[in-house]
Amino acid sequence: MGGLFTQGYNWLAQKIDHAIGWHKLPVPLGLMTLAGLRNILRERNLSDTYVGVRAAPGDGNHASRCPVARTADGTYTDLLSPMMGCAGTRFGRNIPLSAAYPDEAMVLTPNPRKVSRELLARDEFQPATSLNLLAAAWLQFMIHDWFSHGPNQKDNPWQVPIEHDDDWPNKPMTVLRTQRDTTRSGSEGLPPTFRNQESHWWDGSQIYGSSKALMHRARTGEQGKLRVDDNGRLPVDPDTGTDLTGVQGNWWIGLSLLHTLFTLEHNTICDQLHKLYPFWSDDEIYHHARLINVALMAKIHTTEWTPGILNNPTLRKAINGNWYGVLGKWLYTHFGRISANEAFSGIVGSHTDHFGVPYALTEEFVAVYRMHPLLPDEFEFRSWKDNSLLKKLTFPEVADKNARTLVEETALPDLFYSFGIANPGAITLHNYPRFLRHRREPDNSLIDLATTEIIRDRERGVPRYNEFRQLLHRLPVKTFEEITDNPIWARQIQEMYDNDINQVDLMVGLYAEPRPQGFGFSDTAFRIFILMASRRLNSDPFFTEYYTPAVYTPWGMKWINDNGMADLLTRHFPDLRPFLQHAKNPFAPWQTAAQSSTQAGASVPPVAQQEYR
């Protein structure tokens, strides 16, 4: 009977969403509709790319075999399936495997460089005025923890034709293919599969690394701490010239700031644990500090960053419910979990549940997180003392080795303050950063990342926009005007895809789509988020059955509950306190410092602005 009721409930939720839209309903009805949509996605949109190769994930009873630490590479996170989610395992899918076969004949059609030039290229910077630049840095900070396809394949690259009026210096443009999965037997009957170089788990691998070698080189070997210099900065990696940390790819000043912040937080946690448990070894302190630090990251992402970029009243309630339950933080803080049901008391601390499919991040998850328009091409760095301009730099001047130079020349409070008062870009068409479309890599190769991203979705078998919508149980669009409410964009998309609405690339459709109120990205992308944001918590025993005082320590549990992003920033950089004390969300624009008399009359040139509505 319960099954029949649930099926009826889910059916009704989908019908209401199709007819009205979950975000147009009153908050309680919107929450109920989202719950039904998530049920459908959990049932139909988890596909195992190891099907027929390994056993099912087991009964989910982990508590009696609880470990005390995360491993370096993510193995044994789930003791019943030790290799699940570890570094080097395959990405899963959020679509049926039968729909994941790429059409290799169409990977270069329409020309991805033309899509980059005519639909994605930034005409002028369109800021997202409801966010600050820390929100953009945070997203990449998280992504580096979650996934990487690793080095590209060297042989048989894609050869992208270059039109006669295109100034790209190399004709044709060469784009290396994604490295294929070498663990396949060839007889599995699967679409192409790819492997995640990082651990799939939410385990802070961007700081701690996904291997023992990376983990150990960042440690001091004393009292569990990570290495920092006398000025509170990360050490320099002599091989790269950038900060030494777990993940260093695509390095820029935003990553340097957040890696530094959470390294300092790790060491603060170590100090507190050493006081409470002076008999603990270096390893014991390190591993407990990592657990607490990572849980803080997950809490900040869930309860602060996400409501910042998806600033919708229904979504705020729903996403905070992932952590605290719909009964809210106050009840959780004062009485703990009062129900085994995740809807009432949150996912954190509940039972581990893989929903019948071994845990893995997915190619579709990667695809919807293509949000590079968040990055500006130019930066202003200002003093936290009086808002005076210190320097203006372009993105290449704050990236790679140059990020390290900037950190050494500029006080960290000034850098954080500058990020706190600046806006990122809006995630929309015609706003892809110029520098990323003509990016000189550290190995001196030249790439157009927008072109590359279009190819990546096509070559990995991620469906194009209209099919993607349908596979996520949204109604298909029948006209180009349904894709976007901007008539100029609708015409441009129609011309680009030669009037074939089913060929519109996923990234183009996601950027063009009208958004629910307050949303920084599309409702279609949000369907993957509904599923996978919860799954990252549901499947991880360290956020479910191991999330106890016995594992985290009683002090650690309280530290996680009592702290957020503003607490970290003001603890390690007290000068920032005036700008955060009245902020409702630390990822929203901060209050600026009083300008000096020489700055008071300065004018700021107007720019086209886009709020998240």
Side-chain angles (χ1 to χ4, degrees):
M1 194 70 173
L4 289 175
F5 174 81
T6 301
Q7 289 176 24
Y9 177 91
N10 297 344
W11 176 86
L12 181 61
Q14 184 167 298
K15 289 294 183 183
I16 292 173
D17 183 54
H18 286 173
I20 302 173
W22 66 267
H23 55 281
K24 296 178 182 178
L25 299 167
V27 171
L29 291 178
L31 287 171
M32 294 172 67
T33 302
L34 283 177
L37 297 179
R38 185 170 65 178
N39 290 341
I40 293 170
L41 290 163
R42 283 172 170 174
E43 180 181 343
R44 304 181 193 174
N45 290 87
L46 295 173
S47 297
D48 182 15
T49 51
Y50 283 98
V51 62
V53 178
R54 63 184 179 191
D59 61 9
N61 182 18
H62 307 77
S64 63
R65 289 167 281 187
C66 178
V68 294
R70 291 185 181 273
T71 60
D73 60 0
T75 52
Y76 292 92
T77 300
D78 186 310
L79 296 177
L80 300 172
S81 186
M83 299 302 292
M84 185 195 299
C86 73
T89 52
R90 295 175 188 170
F91 286 97
R93 305 302 298 236
N94 292 132
I95 58 175
L97 296 182
S98 60
Y101 288 89
D103 184 349
E104 294 232 348
M106 295 294 290
V107 168
L108 300 182
T109 305
N111 188 315
R113 170 66 176 176
K114 187 174 182 181
V115 175
S116 168
R117 295 178 68 203
E118 298 184 15
L119 294 180
L120 300 177
R122 179 170 282 160
D123 299 326
E124 61 177 340
F125 180 63
Q126 302 173 62
T129 56
S130 58
L131 294 172
N132 65 35
L133 198 51
L134 284 174
W138 180 271
L139 177 61
Q140 191 177 11
F141 180 62
M142 289 291 101
I143 284 173
H144 280 192
D145 179 16
W146 297 335
F147 56 78
S148 169
H149 283 78
N152 293 315
Q153 188 172 305
K154 298 298 184 183
D155 61 304
N156 193 26
W158 300 107
Q159 302 288 348
V160 182
I162 298 299
E163 297 181 337
H164 68 278
D165 62 341
D166 189 340
D167 61 0
W168 190 259
N170 306 318
K171 298 177 175 59
M173 177 189 292
T174 296
V175 176
L176 299 178
R177 295 175 184 250
T178 304
Q179 183 67 47
R180 293 295 178 94
D181 179 10
T182 57
T183 66
R184 294 180 55 155
S185 67
S187 60
E188 297 170 9
L190 294 172
T193 54
F194 307 91
R195 293 189 292 159
N196 190 354
Q197 182 173 266
E198 303 300 326
S199 156
H200 296 250
W201 303 106
W202 208 344
D203 58 4
S205 58
Q206 77 273 44
I207 288 178
Y208 300 103
S210 285
S211 70
K212 288 184 178 180
L214 289 173
M215 181 180 74
H216 285 297
R217 74 172 186 164
R219 294 178 59 177
T220 66
E222 298 179 359
Q223 297 182 11
K225 291 188 176 183
L226 299 174
R227 293 170 57 192
V228 293
D229 67 18
D230 293 339
N231 295 307
R233 297 176 301 217
L234 298 176
V236 178
D237 185 340
D239 295 329
T240 64
T242 60
D243 297 350
L244 191 153
T245 189
V247 175
Q248 299 169 296
N250 303 312
W251 196 254
W252 65 294
I253 187 61
L255 289 178
S256 181
L257 292 178
L258 291 176
H259 278 253
T260 300
L261 178 66
F262 279 91
T263 298
L264 294 175
E265 181 68 8
H266 173 96
N267 288 350
T268 294
I269 295 168
C270 289
D271 286 335
Q272 296 298 320
L273 291 174
H274 179 64
K275 290 178 183 178
L276 291 167
Y277 307 99
F279 50 87
W280 273 6
S281 68
D282 171 59
D283 277 350
E284 287 176 300
I285 296 176
Y286 170 85
H287 287 300
H288 281 87
R290 176 178 180 174
L291 285 176
I292 296 165
N293 204 24
V294 169
L296 264 176
M297 292 180 203
K299 179 192 170 190
I300 290 168
H301 185 85
T302 302
T303 65
E304 296 183 282
W305 183 85
T306 300
I309 199 167
L310 301 176
N311 189 15
N312 175 280
T314 302
L315 188 280
R316 285 198 301 271
K317 190 74 173 176
I319 201 65
N320 277 282
N322 271 1
W323 199 268
Y324 295 114
V326 296
L327 299 178
K329 180 179 179 179
W330 186 90
L331 200 67
Y332 181 96
T333 300
H334 288 83
F335 297 97
R337 297 187 60 83
I338 64 171
S339 171
N341 190 316
E342 69 175 50
F344 293 109
S345 292
I347 296 171
V348 178
S350 66
H351 294 294
T352 306
D353 195 341
H354 304 307
F355 303 100
V357 179
Y359 173 72
L361 295 179
T362 66
E363 295 293 352
E364 288 69 37
F365 179 82
V366 174
V368 301
Y369 270 97
R370 299 194 187 284
M371 298 183 184
H372 284 104
L374 286 165
L375 296 175
D377 286 289
E378 298 174 342
F379 296 78
E380 287 188 350
F381 294 98
R382 295 182 173 272
S383 168
W384 67 267
K385 296 177 182 177
D386 58 8
N387 204 49
S388 58
L389 182 65
L390 302 176
K391 58 187 72 176
K392 293 180 69 172
L393 299 172
T394 63
F395 198 100
E397 292 174 311
V398 303
D400 304 317
K401 294 180 181 180
N402 293 328
R404 183 67 196 193
T405 301
L406 181 60
V407 165
E408 292 177 349
E409 292 178 348
T410 313
L412 287 170
D414 289 331
L415 294 174
F416 274 106
Y417 169 77
S418 299
F419 268 59
I421 65 171
N423 296 132
I427 304 167
T428 185
L429 293 182
H430 299 291
N431 204 30
Y432 203 99
R434 299 184 186 96
F435 79 94
L436 284 179
R437 296 186 56 256
H438 199 276
R439 155 87 169 149
R440 183 67 65 178
E441 295 277 77
D443 66 1
N444 207 39
S445 62
L446 188 65
I447 66 166
D448 172 1
L449 188 58
T451 295
T452 302
E453 290 197 305
I454 292 292
I455 289 176
R456 291 293 176 250
D457 285 349
R458 294 177 184 178
E459 72 169 346
R460 294 171 186 167
V462 177
R464 301 210 186 193
Y465 175 69
N466 216 11
E467 183 183 3
F468 192 89
R469 285 178 61 105
Q470 295 174 78
L471 290 171
L472 296 183
H473 320 294
R474 299 200 74 195
L475 295 174
V477 291
K478 297 179 180 178
T479 67
F480 289 90
E481 288 73 21
E482 289 180 73
I483 296 178
T484 176
D485 55 8
N486 184 318
I488 296 174
W489 291 1
R491 185 171 63 254
Q492 291 173 337
I493 296 169
Q494 185 173 10
E495 292 174 356
M496 174 64 65
Y497 294 94
D498 196 23
N499 204 36
D500 188 346
I501 201 166
N502 292 320
Q503 289 301 309
V504 175
D505 283 290
L506 175 63
M507 193 163 76
V508 170
L510 298 183
Y511 287 2
E513 223 182 71
R515 287 90 187 274
Q517 176 190 355
F519 264 45
F521 55 80
S522 77
D523 191 18
T524 300
F526 177 60
R527 305 307 166 111
I528 296 293
F529 188 91
I530 294 172
L531 175 61
M532 298 303 292
S534 301
R535 183 160 166 78
R536 287 195 307 258
L537 298 174
N538 283 120
S539 279
D540 191 332
F542 285 102
F543 292 127
T544 53
E545 293 173 55
Y546 306 164
Y547 192 75
T548 65
V551 175
Y552 282 78
T553 74
W555 175 87
M557 297 290 285
K558 188 175 187 304
W559 189 260
I560 297 162
N561 194 58
D562 291 349
N563 283 279
M565 186 65 172
D567 299 293
L568 269 69
L569 288 165
T570 55
R571 176 161 45 250
H572 300 291
F573 305 102
D575 294 331
L576 301 178
R577 192 176 304 279
F579 316 113
L580 285 159
Q581 59 186 356
H582 300 301
K584 292 183 178 179
N585 190 314
F587 294 106
W590 299 355
Q591 174 185 332
T592 57
Q595 292 183 325
S596 66
S597 57
T598 57
Q599 295 285 319
S603 61
V604 179
V607 293
Q609 294 193 346
Q610 175 172 327
E611 292 198 23
Y612 289 148
R613 304 180 192 274

